[in-house]
Amino acid sequence: RIVFRSDKTLYVTAGERGQDDPSAPTALNAQNVAKTLGKVVRLNRDGSIPPGNPVFATAGALPGLWSLGHRNPQGAALKPGSDDLWLTEHGPQGGDELNRVLPGRNYGWPLASYGCPYGAPVGDACRVGGGTHAPTYEEPKTFWVPTSIAPAGLAFYTADKFPEWQGNVFAGALAGQSLWRIVLDASGNVSAREEVAAVKALGKRIRDVRQGPDG
């Protein structure tokens, strides 16, 4: 996904291409700062590197990196009135996440996930790395278990047609075939979430979420 910041730089997301075996750490794309895979990158529109990107201490770290440890980002949006990036990303078996993406932070994949490795019985005991991300990695703002919804597009609602929904986050779901409404509190933490009944009733895979021009 590509998101344009107010300063005309870009956030670009990249999946990690299935390199997730902790027994082969050199293959862990999402944790390797010499690669863009499994990262969010911040670039100028001409492809050059803007000032202000975080500096990773590891030798060989690429200068464009913004954050690391992402599995498969599918939805990306800026919180209204800011350059604050939010992502939805796919977990393995369960463990889909909504993340607020902060500069220089590590979101844990494939060393921590609330999902289970493919082929493992789904349940609390199989969570990758025990599930809990903190304090080593950033905790997701919310996550879906035990079944993956396969979250897709992401949008913040800013219009007045549904005033009770202002500031809420909306995420599509491919496997879940629905639209999720996610409520954030004043601190940016998730206080509630629900499936939008009218969309769930359609029984369709929702890949893109946008606010209509009429609100």
Side-chain angles (χ1 to χ4, degrees):
R1 296 291 179 264
I2 299 175
V3 176
F4 290 83
R5 287 171 42 118
S6 61
D7 60 5
K8 298 186 178 181
T9 62
L10 316 176
Y11 289 126
V12 183
T13 74
E16 49 79 67
R17 297 187 61 83
Q19 301 298 312
D20 59 2
D21 182 0
S23 68
T26 58
L28 299 184
N29 287 333
Q31 294 294 323
N32 185 345
V33 293
K35 298 182 177 182
T36 58
L37 298 171
K39 313 295 189 305
V40 172
V41 177
R42 177 173 169 253
L43 302 172
N44 289 315
R45 296 187 185 203
D46 63 0
S48 61
I49 307 300
N53 278 3
V55 177
F56 293 87
T58 306
L62 298 176
L65 303 184
W66 186 258
S67 60
L68 70 155
H70 301 283
R71 184 174 183 270
N72 188 358
Q74 291 282 323
L78 296 182
K79 189 174 183 181
S82 75
D83 287 322
D84 199 8
L85 179 67
W86 290 66
L87 293 182
T88 51
E89 46 189 297
H90 289 188
Q93 296 185 111
D96 301 332
E97 297 179 353
L98 171 69
N99 284 307
R100 179 190 178 199
V101 182
L102 300 172
R105 304 294 180 85
N106 188 334
Y107 289 81
W109 183 259
L111 303 176
S113 173
Y114 287 99
C116 296
Y118 289 117
V122 176
D124 291 347
C126 72
R127 290 178 170 180
V128 177
T132 303
H133 293 42
T136 305
Y137 309 112
E138 291 295 309
E139 285 282 352
K141 290 298 184 180
T142 193
F143 57 90
W144 286 265
V145 293
T147 303
S148 290
I149 65 165
L154 192 69
F156 283 84
Y157 186 72
T158 61
D160 57 9
K161 195 173 185 73
F162 305 98
E164 69 277 17
W165 287 358
Q166 282 192 2
N168 290 181
V169 191
F170 287 85
L174 299 172
Q177 296 188 336
S178 71
L179 180 71
W180 283 81
R181 181 175 73 92
I182 302 164
V183 182
L184 304 179
D185 64 20
S187 299
N189 296 315
V190 172
S191 59
R193 69 184 197 190
E194 67 169 358
E195 292 178 281
V196 178
V199 178
K200 180 69 174 177
L202 297 175
K204 301 293 185 182
R205 289 161 57 86
I206 307 300
R207 186 174 296 278
D208 191 18
V209 182
R210 305 189 190 193
Q211 179 174 296
D214 62 352

